[in-house]
Structures are given as structure tokens and as C-alpha cells.
Amino acid sequence: LVTTDSEEFFDSQWSLCVEAAGQPAVKEYGKQCLRLGKDLMITSIGALTDDAFYDDLQTTANEFHSRLILCTGSLPAVDWLGS
């Protein structure tokens, strides 16, 4: 499912969310995804430089039997590469 409507997204049937929307999306929707018992693959792992936030996601994943999958080795944003 590809949508810009978060309500439609979270109401649909799926088992794995692959985040490709940037760090703000991880912070806004990551915990909600895990609370639904869904697995979350994060490509914007820079969002996890906040230790408290990362710990909170790990705790939530464990509590709701979800998996937090970190996709390392991704390229940084193209605007960053150009600077």
C-alpha cells in the first residue's frame, strides 16, 4: 500500500512497514507501527541517534511482539551528498 493518508495506512492489512520517508516520519509514526504488532524496517537510522527514542522503540517492539529492523548502509540524502 502506498498512501499519504496515515489513517488509511494504519487501518489496512500489512505486516512489515519499510520506512522511506525520513527521520521525522520515524519519530512521528514508528512507535504507532510497533504498537500494532507490525514489524518496522527503518532506513533513516539517523533518527535513532536519540538514545531515549531508540530505547523507547525497542521497548515498544518487545512489548507488542514486533521487530525493529535497522537497514544500515543506506546513502544519505542527495542534498547532503552535494554539499
Side-chain angles (χ1 to χ4, degrees):
L1 172 70
V2 177
T3 181
T4 58
D5 183 335
S6 62
E7 193 170 311
E8 177 186 10
F9 177 75
F10 286 110
D11 285 343
S12 65
Q13 296 295 319
W14 47 272
S15 60
L16 171 67
C17 175
V18 179
E19 171 277 316
Q23 293 180 29
V26 175
K27 292 183 177 185
E28 185 170 353
Y29 299 111
K31 192 170 181 177
Q32 182 178 0
C33 174
L34 296 169
R35 279 185 159 162
L36 292 171
K38 310 295 187 179
D39 296 337
L40 174 61
M41 178 182 288
I42 297 176
T43 64
S44 302
I45 61 171
L48 306 177
T49 58
D50 177 343
D51 290 337
F53 178 66
Y54 180 54
D55 291 344
D56 190 31
L57 287 180
Q58 286 184 308
T59 299
T60 302
N62 288 330
E63 182 179 345
F64 291 91
H65 308 287
S66 304
R67 292 184 307 156
L68 182 60
I69 304 163
L70 307 183
C71 184
T72 61
S74 300
L75 287 174
V78 174
D79 58 344
W80 180 82
L81 285 171
S83 61

